[in-house]
Amino acid sequence: MALVLSDDQRMIREAADGFFADHAPVSAHRKLRDAGDTLGFERATWKAMAEMGFAGVLVPEAHGGAGLGMVEAGLVMEAMGRNLSAAPMLSTALLGAAALVKGGSAAQQAAHLPLMAAGERLVALAADEAARHAPFQVATRAEPSGNGFRLTGVKPFVLDGLAADVLIVAARTDGADGDRAGITLFLVPAEAVGVSRARRAMVDSRGAARIALEGVEVDGADVLGAVGGGAALLEAVLDVGRAGLAAEMLGVAGESFGRTVDYLKQREQFGEKIGSFQALQHRAAHLFCELELARSATLKALSALDAGDGRAALFVSLAKAKAGDVAKLATNEAVQMHGGIGMTDDFDIGFFMKRARAAAETFGDSAFHGDRLAQMVGY
């Protein structure tokens, strides 16, 4: 599997870079932060992304999407990372679309995917309940009720939960908390009776919500996948999100590096450009090598998902862990090498650090994925 882009993929990368630089640059992120925007993104930007085909990148052409793959989705995410562009790309175009494509019935796909690809329906994954990522620590209960189920529980951290029209809720139909078996995924209208949402303030100013479900009634037709067998689907969907986040963090790290190198070429100290100082050259060279390693790991993970490689989960965890560590290193070095100005809010580099930290924690940090890797290879 060659770790290079095709001509079509390079065109998508160029289109994404141009779009986000024009429509959702870092200045737009700052504007949303300063306004205290509760959603964390502009709906007009999302609509424009849908017109570009980004919202439907994973949606089959039969349902109005672009019918592309994870490599193409990763290129969009990387461009978003470079510009700190805020949009429900991860929650809807990746997680939501993957869940419906992989586990949805024909009726569910027909009802949701065309609207998602058109930018007219937003989806949020309501899975995690623990303080740190633990996808099978599910205490939310789904009890039989008539022809369906009654959902009760709390999801303390749901990305784009305030903006979502539909929630994909992981609930337990059987077993004890922490069991892999007994988890079921449900499609729940966000405005259903018994659903309450409250904003969660994020360090990176993105949209998130605490969602409580109090006796929410759902029909049997709202089950996504098999009753009691949702763990495998949930893991597959999360891997799509993890790979997408790795690509976004690659963009965050790359832009941080690029801005830092530019600064080293401009800033003078002791009558010399600080980029001529050997110690800073060594640090920049080391960071460049780390970025290339993260890029290879991320492209491998995205390609493996597209190819249906049985080792895709392993590559995804490797990419998520590596990209998270490199994004942390890149943003730390950026602030350090910018000196005192890097610590000020007037300078943009701090925004990259905040996004890197939040993205690295989302759906498992390097420790989580290091442990997952170890288990997959038999340790």
Side-chain angles (χ1 to χ4, degrees):
M1 187 184 298
L3 296 181
V4 294
L5 300 179
S6 67
D7 290 341
D8 287 343
Q9 289 166 343
R10 284 194 288 270
M11 290 176 60
I12 291 171
R13 180 177 62 186
E14 292 172 4
D17 283 340
F19 175 87
F20 291 110
D22 291 340
H23 291 81
V26 180
S27 58
H29 172 78
R30 180 184 288 276
K31 182 180 178 181
L32 286 169
R33 192 283 305 266
D34 291 346
D37 188 272
T38 57
L39 297 184
F41 68 93
E42 293 184 347
R43 290 187 182 275
T45 300
W46 179 241
K47 187 64 177 177
M49 289 175 64
E51 292 171 358
M52 288 288 292
F54 298 154
V57 65
L58 297 183
V59 175
E61 294 183 59
H63 293 294
L68 299 174
M70 280 301 298
V71 172
E72 291 79 8
L75 295 173
V76 176
M77 292 292 289
E78 184 180 352
M80 292 179 70
R82 277 193 288 272
N83 293 279
L84 294 182
S85 305
M89 182 75 186
L90 175 64
S91 57
T92 296
L94 270 66
L95 297 170
L100 283 157
V101 170
K102 294 176 180 294
S105 65
Q108 290 170 335
Q109 292 177 354
H112 296 289
L113 288 176
L115 293 175
M116 291 164 63
E120 297 173 1
R121 177 160 295 168
L122 301 181
V123 178
L125 177 65
D128 270 322
E129 298 181 17
R132 299 180 72 86
H133 183 57
F136 305 133
Q137 289 291 336
V138 175
T140 297
R141 306 301 301 187
E143 300 174 341
S145 177
N147 293 325
F149 298 85
R150 181 184 296 111
L151 308 182
T152 302
V154 174
K155 301 294 184 178
F157 179 75
V158 179
L159 295 173
D160 294 317
L162 279 182
D165 303 302
V166 177
L167 304 172
I168 299 175
V169 178
R172 188 163 293 284
T173 48
D174 193 19
D177 297 356
D179 288 353
R180 184 182 178 93
I183 295 173
T184 304
L185 302 185
F186 296 90
L187 292 170
V188 180
E191 298 298 330
V193 175
V195 176
S196 60
R197 298 183 280 181
R199 183 191 179 201
R200 296 295 301 268
M202 296 283 290
V203 69
D204 61 351
S205 305
R206 301 302 174 96
R210 177 186 185 274
I211 294 181
L213 304 107
E214 295 290 342
V216 178
E217 297 285 348
V218 294
D219 192 80
D222 296 320
V223 173
L224 192 60
V227 174
L233 176 59
L234 177 60
E235 192 81 296
V237 170
L238 285 171
D239 274 342
V240 167
R242 291 159 177 160
L245 280 167
E248 184 187 355
M249 288 189 289
L250 183 62
V252 169
E255 181 66 16
S256 299
F257 175 71
R259 290 178 176 229
T260 302
V261 171
D262 288 343
Y263 185 75
L264 295 180
K265 293 176 180 179
Q266 298 169 17
R267 178 78 165 94
E268 289 190 5
Q269 202 169 38
F270 311 118
E272 300 286 345
K273 303 291 187 185
I274 63 174
S276 67
F277 300 163
Q278 193 174 55
L280 297 183
Q281 291 176 352
H282 287 171
R283 289 166 68 174
H286 172 243
L287 180 53
F288 175 80
C289 293
E290 290 296 303
L291 275 166
E292 290 304 301
L293 288 172
R295 183 175 301 281
S296 295
T298 299
L299 185 53
K300 178 65 176 180
L302 296 168
S303 301
L305 288 171
D306 283 340
D309 192 322
R311 301 168 297 166
L314 186 150
F315 295 131
V316 166
S317 278
L318 176 61
K320 180 64 166 61
K322 185 62 179 178
D325 286 345
V326 172
K328 180 179 180 180
L329 174 65
T331 53
N332 279 355
E333 290 288 70
V335 170
Q336 285 283 320
M337 287 194 252
H338 276 85
I341 194 174
M343 298 295 293
T344 66
D345 188 68
D346 290 337
F347 212 67
D348 288 338
I349 205 69
F351 289 135
F352 289 90
M353 174 177 278
K354 292 173 181 178
R355 181 55 190 158
R357 296 302 187 277
E361 292 290 331
T362 303
F363 303 144
D365 59 10
S366 58
F368 174 92
H369 287 288
D371 181 68
R372 186 176 183 234
L373 270 169
Q375 293 183 41
M376 283 189 283
V377 298
Y379 283 98

